[in-house]
Amino acid sequence: PPSEALATLWVGSLLPTVTDDDLFDAFAPYGFVTDVNLTEQQSAAGTLQAHVKYSYRSEAEAALSASLNRQLLVKGKAVMCRWAQKDIVSLAQLKSAAAMQQAPAPNAAGAPAAAPPPLYSNVAGCNYIAPKIWIGNLPMGTTEADLRTVCRGYGGDLVDVIIHKKPSQYGQLSGFLRFKTQLETEMMLKAISSGAIVVRGAVMKAGWAKGQQPL
């Protein structure tokens, strides 16, 4: 690959009905998937392509090896994989760049610049994507409704929930959560890390997703 630290794969020959969740489910058995970028435009052959990023290069190597042996299936179809030219840009980096672009310049009279807009996620009327956290130690059968219920009890307003369908070798599920604001995200991460949040009788684990921890 172009870099020893590179942990992102290009994925091709995807069916047009493939979703982000399908990719998470297919690639999760080989390591911790931190990001998935799926293109909406179909190729001349009617297929889609995507980029899948892992926490570590060794995990990406395992997935690449499986694809070369035609063992990596997405929706029942073998897919093509190769090293991407570069890693996916993290949401934290995008947020930083967007904040710089949105910063107002001082006016001619030298008056203080207007305060930047509040930092919310990109739900309707909001300005950017709030950081996401990884969650683990979820019992089999855990649903999105379960997670929304326990988080709401601690004041967390969930925007996005992803639960990997395939369990770990220990029979536990994992996924990602995104809250409406960074403040809520940090508050909920503290609550989960303290062992205060229990889902279906199991203490949930959590941490910042790769590349998501605010600077």
Side-chain angles (χ1 to χ4, degrees), residues 126-151:
C126 296
N127 297 301
Y128 82 87
I129 302 176
K132 65 183 176 184
I133 59 174
W134 169 87
I135 54 171
N137 201 42
L138 304 175
M140 292 293 293
T142 297
T143 65
E144 178 177 334
D146 292 332
L147 295 174
R148 289 187 179 278
T149 298
V150 297
C151 290

Side-chain angles (χ1 to χ4, degrees), residues 57-132:
R57 180 168 173 256
S58 59
E59 298 170 333
E61 287 176 337
L64 179 60
S65 176
S67 72
L68 293 176
N69 292 319
R70 300 187 65 80
Q71 296 174 343
L72 204 164
L73 307 180
V74 179
K75 276 201 164 182
K77 182 179 184 296
V79 297
M80 296 171 51
C81 291
R82 63 171 181 257
W83 290 107
Q85 293 301 309
K86 58 183 180 179
D87 272 329
I88 297 173
V89 177
S90 72
L91 293 175
Q93 290 171 298
L94 292 175
K95 179 183 72 175
S96 177
M100 291 179 64
Q101 292 176 355
Q102 293 176 2
N107 58 37
L119 303 181
Y120 295 107
S121 65
N122 67 338
V123 294
C126 296
N127 297 301
Y128 82 87
I129 302 176
K132 65 183 176 184

Side-chain angles (χ1 to χ4, degrees), residues 42-56:
Q42 296 184 20
S43 68
T47 59
L48 300 178
Q49 58 182 338
H51 287 86
V52 176
K53 183 176 181 180
Y54 284 96
S55 291
Y56 300 102

